[in-house]
Each structure stands twice: as structure tokens, then as C-alpha cells.
Amino acid sequence: MSAGHRVSARPVLRWLRAIRPERRNLRADVIAGLPGAISSVPNGMASAALIGVNPIHGLYASFAGPVAGGLATSSQLMVVTTTTAAALAAGSALEGVDSADRPQALLLLTIIAGVAMIIAGLAHLGRYTRFVSHSVMTGFLTGISVNILLSQLPGLTGASATGEIALGKAVDVILHPSRIDLPSLLTGLAALAILVGLSWTRLSTVSALVALAVPTAGVALAGADTVTLVKDTGDIPRGIPLPQLPDLSQLSFPLLTGALAVAAIVLVQGSGVADAAPNRDGTASNSNQDFVAQGMGNVAAGFFRGLPVGGSVGQTALNRTVGGRTRWAAICSGLWMIAILAAFSNVIGLVAMPTLAAVLIYAAAKSLRPREVVSILRTGPTSQIAVVTTFSATLFLPISAAVGIGVALSLLLQLNQEAMDLKIVQLTPVGGGRWTEHPAPAKLPSHQATLLDVYGSLLYAGSRTLGVKLPDPAGAEAPTVVLRLRGRTAVGATFVKVVDDYAAALDAVGGRLYLSGVDHEVAKLLRRTDRQHGAGPVGVFEATELIGESTEQALRAAAAWEVRQRPERPDQ
């Protein structure tokens, strides 16, 4: 083998060594994967029902996502599988697609979302998830939970409902109780009762599966033929699915934006999984690698006709609870799902649809965090605007639009907060290298140096706020200002313009502006924009290792300037 081939093979060999199963943990991981696979049966089927496709597609995703995603995650216990948030986003994107074309459109949407996630990881965009504020994320997830609750009322009651949004359909069911099918309602309520009852027992990990099986058996024994079954929604293919290429004729702008919305939701939601499930061996998680892993899970799920998948908080928590030790616990859950499909695919069609609605309603209700919402509402106007706006957008608009509003709102709130938090203080020396801090004066004194320090961001709106809050030189004679910038490693064109304008205003009354503690790269930028070092309208003094040294240099320069500007006294 040539040297080039050996070099190119090294990353692959390192990856294979990193993911190979450890004999001491393999037995525990294989056992831990079975409860995960069993709980994925109702969750996956319910997620597919939420999108409006055959529930079998949820099971396809529940084997492809954990296997492909588990091979690449840096968060070793993360389970990449179906999530209700991703399903709701996919359902919103495919709402205008004919039911006959929806499976093919779903395949394409899932692959596009996966490719977008992989690109995001390779572009190292993981760090940007922290810019989505907690208030925005809480409002968004609360809106999704409420949307799921409302959207499943028709399925739980067996009633036909009309309406463009979930809220409208729920209201239609409530206003027309005569449409409710009593056997369907009793089936759904029985499933809910089982879910609630078993949540307090050691059977909680299989409560969703029991909630599907027991009421479905009751429907069969009672001969309740008005209750819709899974097989009524379409044929249930038997066995393991074969990969399928996407139909590019299904591509449309709403599908593309919907896929990007799914990717954004999955990545932001999945970013919390690493914090909730740290690696047992102490290694740190890599958000960019997890982005790629979730993207691989979606590409695999798409080719196997599955739903969008992502890092599931619930399934990951279950994985830890049942004793999963390495990534192979998640991978084994996908492999167990293949065995379930091979053995029991003919049983899936007998499941009563109201039980799937009950599973979704229960999961949505559990994900609501009323105390957290109340806490955010008590935080202040900014948080109130964020949570209420995002919640309302999620409730009344398509998910892709709500995601866009949430991202834009997070950025606007960040910039607004930075601008509002900016504070200018005056520093006065008291000897021994110590300084006292006072509010900055509104007006500058004549023939005197004023030393100012700034707290807050100097980017964008922050720089404009700085320009507004700087002391006014009008009416003063030969005032000098030393603006301390230590620790500022980057400034933009807005800051340069503000500095230029303030220096011109000082120059107009015989004054000068000096910048101290300036980072070397910032100093180079200022010089490139014609700011002369210590001699022009702006004096620039770079930071040194000794804190305060450049500020003392600037103060000496300001004092020398003030002496030169004093009017000469006539001879006595």
C-alpha cells in the first residue's frame, strides 16, 4: 500500500477503533437496547401519525436513526430517534401535500434535513445554538406541546374536524360533540389511564406499549368496528424495508424551508442532550460532531423511508436508566427494532389509532413546564416578549415560520440587550494605582482630562448607544477624553464611525480623544482607517502586560495636550 493510501486510511482506522464495542460493556448495552426499542414502537408510530403517514414509517426511522446516528455521536449515550417536535415540523411542511404523495415527499424532506445538519456540523455552527435564548426556546417548545395536544383531539375522540390549525380543529371537535365516536373516545381514555397509572410503577418504561396493546385488545374483543386501526390508514409492509432513492419531483420551496426548519429544531433540541447525558468515560462532547451524527441518522432514515430523527431527551434518559454504557446501547436499540419489524410487522396494523393519539397527548402534557414559563414571565419585559411571541407564532403559524421568527427574535433580543446594558463610568485616581468609579458626566469640563471606562458590548447597536452616552463636549474648552478599551478584541465599522464623530466633536472645541488599553489587532484596524498613533484626532495606546500602563500613558499625553491649549498669560 502506498504512503498516500496509508495516510488517507488513518482517520477511518481511528474512527473504527473509537466505535468498536468493548467486551466488558457489550452485554449491558445489548440488554439496555431492548427497552429502548420497545418504547420506540409506540413513540415512532405516534410520530408518524402526527405527520399523517403510515405509522410503519416511524418504526423505519426508529431503527435507521439510532444505528447510523449512534455510530458517529460524540455524546455516547445519545439516542438519535423520532421526536414529536421534529414530527410536528415535518407535518407542517407537508400539510399541503396530497396524502398519496406524502411518503415520497417525507423521504426527500428527511434527507434534505439530514444533509443540512451535516453541513452545519462540518461548518462548525454548533456554537451558535447558544444564541437561541432560553425564553425563545421555552416558548417554542411549549407551543409545540400545546399544538400536539390540540391536534390529537380528533384522533382521540374519533371525530372528524375541520380547521387550518390545530387550535381550530380542537375547537371544532368541542363545538360539535355529536361527531365524537364513543368507542374511540373510550379506547383513547383507557390508553391515557394506563399511561398515567403505570408512570408511578416499575413498568413505566413499557407503559406506552401496554397503552397500545391493552385497549387495542379490548377493541378487538368488543368488535368495535367504528374505531380506526393502523391498517385502515394504508397497507403495512412486512419485514425489513429496503433503501429507496428520493423522488426529486417532490421538491418544492415549502418542502425545502420545512426541511431547514426540521434541521434547526433537531439541532437546538439535541444540543441539550449532551448536557443531560455526559459521557461515562469523562470525554467531552462535541456539538459539531453531534450535528453530523444527527444528520447521518436523518439521511439513513430518509433512505429507509423513515421520519426525521434527532437527539431524543426522553430516549436518552431511558438509555441511561436501563444501564446503557456506550454508544452501542443506542445502536442495539436500532438493531432490536429490526428484529421487531421482522417478527411483528403483521401485528402493527391491528393497533387502534386512538391509542397513538393518547401516547402523543400524554408525551406533550409531560413536556409542558408551567413553572418554568411562570418563572420566565416574572423575569422582565424582554423575556415576556420572547416567550409569548414565540409561543403565539408556533400556535398560529407554520412551524418553519415560527422557527424563523424565533431565530430572528433571539438575535434582536441579544442586540437590544447588549445596547441596553452598555454603561459608561468615570474613573478617578486615588493613589497607589487604585481608582474610584463614578457615573460619567453629562458635560465635559474645560482644560481637564476625563478618564472613561465602558461596560457592555461595543458591536452594532452597542456602539451607537456609546455615541449617545458619551459626555457632551459642547461649550467646553480644550477638553480631553481617555476612553479605556482593555479586553476589547474586536470592533466594527459602527464603532469606528462613533469614535470618528466624537473625536471630531472634541477637535471642534480644541480637545482630543485618546484610546487606551487597545488590543493590537484593534489598533491595526484603527490605523488602517487613518487614525494616527498619538498625534492625530485620536491617540491610540496599545495595551501592555502591565494593567493601567497604557492608560497612564494616555493621561500624560492628554495633560501635555491640555498644557499646549492653555491661553498664554500676558507678562505681569
Side-chain angles (χ1 to χ4, degrees):
M1 183 181 291
S2 66
H5 283 92
R6 287 197 298 271
V7 171
S8 62
R10 284 174 184 172
V12 176
L13 293 175
R14 283 198 300 268
W15 172 71
L16 289 174
R17 284 195 294 268
I19 68 166
R20 66 184 177 186
E22 301 175 8
R23 182 176 298 179
R24 64 184 181 187
N25 295 322
L26 187 57
R27 183 173 181 273
D29 287 337
V30 171
I31 294 172
L34 182 57
I38 292 173
S39 65
S40 292
V41 172
N43 293 337
M45 293 174 66
S47 295
L50 188 60
I51 297 176
V53 295
N54 193 314
I56 196 70
H57 294 288
L59 302 186
Y60 293 163
S62 297
F63 88 76
V67 172
L71 289 171
T73 54
S74 70
S75 304
Q76 296 173 13
L77 295 181
M78 176 189 283
V79 181
V80 180
T81 188
T82 58
T83 68
T84 53
L88 185 65
S92 174
L94 301 176
E95 194 169 5
V97 179
D98 186 80
S99 59
D101 297 328
R102 189 167 294 189
Q104 275 296 324
L106 176 64
L107 186 159
L108 184 59
L109 178 142
T110 305
I111 292 175
I112 293 174
V115 171
M117 294 177 206
I118 293 173
I119 292 173
L122 295 177
H124 299 282
L125 301 184
R127 63 184 182 273
Y128 292 109
T129 56
R130 65 179 182 265
F131 286 97
V132 180
S133 76
H134 178 62
S135 301
V136 166
M137 198 62 195
T138 299
F140 181 66
L141 293 178
T142 302
I144 283 180
S145 297
V146 173
N147 247 330
I148 293 171
L149 277 167
L150 298 174
S151 69
Q152 294 308 301
L153 280 182
L156 185 76
T157 60
S160 60
T162 58
E164 294 186 359
I165 59 175
L167 178 60
K169 293 177 181 178
V171 170
D172 189 52
V173 171
I174 295 170
L175 294 179
H176 300 90
S178 59
R179 299 178 185 172
I180 295 175
D181 178 63
L182 185 58
S184 296
L185 177 61
L186 293 176
T187 302
L189 292 178
L192 279 175
I194 291 171
L195 288 165
V196 174
L198 293 183
S199 65
W200 304 99
T201 71
R202 285 182 292 182
L203 295 175
S204 59
T205 56
V206 294
S207 60
L209 190 63
V210 177
L212 260 62
V214 173
T216 294
V219 169
L221 291 173
D225 54 6
T226 59
V227 178
T228 304
L229 304 181
V230 167
K231 66 181 181 180
D232 297 328
T233 64
D235 294 333
I236 305 297
R238 295 190 177 186
I240 303 169
L242 296 175
Q244 184 175 327
L245 294 175
D247 180 5
L248 296 180
S249 66
Q250 298 291 331
L251 184 62
S252 65
F253 183 74
L255 187 140
L256 180 60
T257 57
L260 296 178
V262 168
I265 292 168
V266 166
L267 295 182
V268 173
Q269 194 175 38
S271 63
V273 175
D275 297 331
N279 294 331
R280 292 178 180 270
D281 59 5
T283 58
S285 297
N286 184 317
S287 58
N288 295 309
Q289 184 177 336
D290 287 341
F291 277 18
V292 173
Q294 292 173 92
M296 290 172 58
N298 275 276
V299 171
F303 279 118
F304 282 98
R305 293 174 287 162
L307 320 178
V309 294
S312 170
V313 176
Q315 286 293 104
T316 302
L318 175 62
N319 193 20
R320 295 187 67 199
T321 301
V322 297
R325 295 182 181 179
T326 71
R327 67 178 71 250
W328 282 91
I331 296 170
C332 285
S333 72
L335 298 177
W336 277 116
M337 180 57 69
I338 294 176
I340 291 172
L341 279 168
F344 300 107
S345 56
N346 58 332
V347 179
I348 293 170
L350 303 177
V351 174
M353 290 296 291
T355 63
L356 297 180
V359 169
L360 286 169
I361 289 173
Y362 180 74
K366 278 188 65 178
S367 65
L368 291 172
R369 299 287 185 269
R371 290 184 180 178
E372 199 165 334
V373 174
V374 170
S375 175
I376 290 172
L377 292 174
R378 290 174 178 171
T379 303
T382 300
S383 298
Q384 292 168 357
I385 292 171
V387 72
V388 171
T389 301
T390 314
F391 173 79
S392 302
T394 308
L395 205 59
F396 295 105
L397 297 175
I399 297 298
S400 56
V403 169
I405 290 173
V407 171
L409 186 60
S410 289
L411 294 176
L412 288 174
L413 291 175
Q414 173 81 9
L415 294 175
N416 179 65
Q417 196 65 38
E418 288 180 352
M420 290 176 61
D421 285 348
L422 189 130
K423 179 183 178 182
I424 303 177
V425 296
Q426 181 178 5
L427 301 180
T428 304
V430 294
R434 294 179 299 171
W435 307 77
T436 58
E437 187 177 280
H438 311 279
K443 296 278 188 178
L444 287 176
S446 298
H447 300 288
Q448 185 176 329
T450 302
L451 174 59
L452 302 175
D453 203 352
V454 184
Y455 298 127
S457 171
L458 291 180
L459 295 175
Y460 309 118
S463 292
R464 296 194 181 279
T465 303
L466 172 69
V468 173
K469 291 188 175 184
L470 284 169
D472 186 4
E477 294 182 4
T480 54
V481 173
V482 176
L483 186 61
R484 190 169 180 269
L485 297 176
R486 189 174 186 94
R488 311 284 178 170
T489 57
V491 296
T494 305
F495 174 79
V496 174
K497 179 68 166 60
V498 167
V499 166
D500 189 36
D501 291 345
Y502 194 59
L506 287 168
D507 187 56
V509 293
R512 276 294 181 271
L513 174 64
Y514 300 90
L515 305 179
S516 72
V518 181
D519 179 82
H520 179 66
E521 293 300 320
V522 173
K524 287 171 59 178
L525 182 148
L526 293 172
R527 294 188 188 107
R528 285 199 303 269
T529 54
D530 297 331
R531 294 345 184 242
Q532 299 299 318
H533 189 313
V538 180
V540 179
F541 293 84
E542 291 188 29
T544 66
E545 293 182 357
L546 183 61
I547 296 176
E549 183 177 32
S550 65
T551 297
E552 291 178 356
Q553 293 171 352
L555 286 171
R556 287 196 294 269
W561 174 267
E562 189 270 329
V563 169
R564 291 199 299 270
Q565 298 304 306
R566 286 179 184 174
E568 295 183 2
R569 294 184 178 182
D571 293 332
Q572 299 295 326

